[in-house]
Amino acid sequence: MSQTPQPPKSIHALAIPTTGGTPARIGFNLQDHVGASYCIRMMSDAHLKEIWCEAHDDITAIWGKGPGEEVEFIQVKGEVLNQLWSVAKLCQPDGDSKVKVGTSILERSLGQNKCAEPCFFRLVTARDVMDELRLLTHPLDSTERLAGKDVLDALGACIDTKLKGYQSPNGQGCIFWVQRTCWDVVHTVEAVEARNLITLARELERVGLFLMSDQVAELYKKIVKQVFDASLSKSAELKKLKRADVLKSITDNANRLAHPAPVSGTRVAEKMDRATLTAETIQAANHTRWLYRQAILRERYSSPLEYTRVEGEVVARLSTLLNRLDTGDLTDDGPAFHTRCQTKLEELYESDPAAKQLGLAFLHGCMYNITDRCGHRFLRVTA
């Protein structure tokens, strides 16, 4: 006697794998920045309830739409292929897998259709698509998709033939996947980051939080780090970023950046202390920062363009080093990174006549002043 099929479980009742899918990496990648874009979207879209990182899929978004929930399964492919994405590439089995059925990108995406909630899918790729997949790059509710329904159905039927009628655990096939999939072509990590920074600044302004551009960049790094930490977590619950927690983290960090310590020099001392720099180093830093501030107040109006240009060089060189530290390219501890920053400023002093005229103390003081304004630090970013 055959058993009655059991109804699918809610996405919240399905076990989340906490090993196997977690990437072995130390730096941020495209997936982290895409996850950050969903965190930022939470600021304006109350329907986006949770983001799960490296759980069922690369990113799983829980949407509260209507009386129930909908689930978006997102695959992120940051590889720079030597070809455009095609139907053949979508249907290509994983060459490293012994069992080929169900291992293609499309099958793995469709295979997520096993929960009770309605679901839809998204592919985010650095490389563009061939014309045969172009309709998928339009939003699900767009007029282009509606007008191209017959083309999409034919695409689904073609894929269905290639995959020999593959179906999801809920019994849906390739036409279902094509109808419910949106494809984002983002080109580069830098493009996603730039767009996210603009969106974050706009959302902060909308809620009355006004930050300088370097402060927005620091806040954004904290959001990316939050996604990164969730992705690598071995705890199923810690992989879930809930809207209330994300918004609280963004607001708290933004307020700390917007309202620095009332006593000038406090922040730089705190950061250097956390980086385990000596008391003598911290005292010297604050003295150098004070000299820099005096020079700015006393002499800046005599050659404002030179001051601005040199300060810009200091910011740019420190920012480059900090990005390398945050992404794991540098593994310095606090004292080592502080020394590296000083060395970089000494190189600027030796190579730039205007910087040499202002003096090495000016360059160091500028660094400590930037640090006091939360534009620099000597440890890797934390969420």
Side-chain angles (χ1 to χ4, degrees):
M1 182 175 179
S2 62
Q3 294 182 339
T4 303
Q6 296 297 311
K9 295 180 180 180
S10 166
I11 188 71
H12 299 283
L14 295 176
I16 293 179
T18 55
T19 57
T22 300
R25 56 188 175 89
I26 57 175
F28 305 145
N29 63 15
L30 179 60
Q31 183 176 315
D32 299 316
H33 289 277
V34 172
S37 71
Y38 276 78
C39 289
I40 296 169
R41 186 167 178 177
M42 284 177 163
M43 297 176 70
S44 60
D45 195 336
H47 293 115
L48 183 50
K49 299 172 63 176
E50 299 181 22
I51 302 164
W52 301 357
C53 305
E54 281 286 352
H56 298 290
D57 218 331
D58 291 341
I59 302 168
T60 306
I62 309 297
W63 295 86
K65 296 184 177 179
E69 293 179 337
E70 294 182 11
V71 183
E72 181 181 10
F73 295 105
I74 303 136
Q75 285 196 20
V76 182
K77 304 298 178 185
E79 306 93 331
V80 181
L81 305 177
N82 58 1
Q83 64 180 75
L84 299 178
W85 282 94
S86 63
V87 169
K89 185 66 177 176
L90 268 183
C91 300
Q92 179 181 315
D94 183 352
D96 296 330
S97 178
K98 294 181 180 179
V99 179
K100 301 302 181 184
V101 176
T103 64
S104 70
I105 291 172
L106 192 148
E107 289 169 308
R108 286 179 172 175
S109 179
L110 177 58
Q112 300 297 345
N113 174 233
K114 54 190 174 185
C115 58
E117 293 83 0
C119 69
F120 55 105
F121 314 93
R122 186 174 300 273
L123 280 175
V124 181
T125 62
R127 200 73 161 90
D128 207 343
V129 300
M130 295 183 67
D131 287 343
E132 61 188 355
L133 298 172
R134 184 64 58 191
L135 267 177
L136 297 181
T137 64
H138 296 285
L140 297 181
D141 58 355
S142 65
T143 56
E144 291 85 356
R145 298 276 291 230
L146 183 61
K149 182 181 182 305
D150 291 343
V151 177
L152 284 176
D153 288 347
L155 174 63
C158 171
I159 294 173
D160 188 66
T161 300
K162 284 183 175 292
L163 295 180
K164 300 179 180 179
Y166 179 84
Q167 292 188 339
S168 71
N170 282 355
Q172 300 292 349
C174 296
I175 292 178
F176 172 86
W177 185 87
V178 166
Q179 291 172 339
R180 291 172 173 262
T181 295
C182 191
W183 196 308
D184 292 341
V185 180
V186 297
H187 300 294
T188 64
V189 169
E190 292 76 17
V192 178
E193 181 177 9
R195 186 174 66 244
N196 285 348
L197 284 168
I198 292 171
T199 306
L200 177 59
R202 185 178 65 242
E203 289 302 322
L204 290 169
E205 185 176 345
R206 184 179 61 82
V207 298
L209 288 169
F210 299 93
L211 300 182
M212 302 293 287
S213 60
D214 59 338
Q215 294 172 325
V216 174
E218 179 67 10
L219 176 59
Y220 177 69
K221 286 182 180 180
K222 290 182 177 293
I223 297 172
V224 177
K225 184 62 162 60
Q226 192 173 19
V227 174
F228 176 88
D229 289 344
S231 296
L232 269 61
S233 176
K234 300 297 183 181
S235 162
E237 280 305 307
L238 292 181
K239 287 182 171 293
K240 301 177 181 180
L241 301 179
K242 300 182 180 181
R243 183 170 186 264
D245 296 333
V246 170
L247 295 188
K248 183 178 186 304
S249 174
I250 291 175
T251 301
D252 289 350
N253 283 319
N255 278 320
R256 277 193 287 269
L257 289 164
H259 305 289
V263 179
S264 180
T266 302
R267 279 283 171 86
V268 67
E270 291 175 350
K271 289 182 177 183
M272 296 180 74
D273 183 61
R274 284 198 296 270
T276 66
L277 294 166
T278 65
E280 293 79 9
T281 302
I282 296 171
Q283 184 178 4
N286 257 324
H287 181 66
T288 308
R289 192 189 66 82
W290 180 83
L291 292 175
Y292 161 82
R293 292 295 302 160
Q294 293 301 306
I296 289 292
L297 294 172
R298 183 177 62 250
E299 301 172 8
R300 184 164 194 156
Y301 293 106
S302 61
S303 55
L305 292 180
E306 284 302 305
Y307 276 84
T308 301
R309 189 186 66 76
V310 171
E311 287 175 335
E313 283 295 317
V314 172
V315 170
R317 295 178 188 225
L318 293 179
S319 177
T320 299
L321 287 180
L322 197 58
N323 283 335
R324 292 181 62 194
L325 183 69
D326 287 340
T327 58
D329 184 39
L330 297 176
T331 58
D332 297 346
D333 60 10
F337 187 68
H338 177 255
T339 299
R340 188 187 296 272
C341 292
Q342 288 184 320
T343 301
K344 183 62 67 174
L345 296 184
E346 289 166 9
E347 292 173 2
L348 175 61
Y349 172 79
E350 293 294 341
S351 63
D352 189 307
K356 197 156 196 172
Q357 184 175 358
L358 290 171
L360 188 57
F362 178 93
L363 303 183
H364 284 189
C366 181
M367 173 176 69
Y368 297 127
N369 193 63
I370 294 167
T371 305
D372 200 49
R373 291 181 53 248
C374 298
H376 190 60
R377 53 189 145 72
F378 304 103
L379 291 175
R380 191 179 178 191
V381 66
T382 59

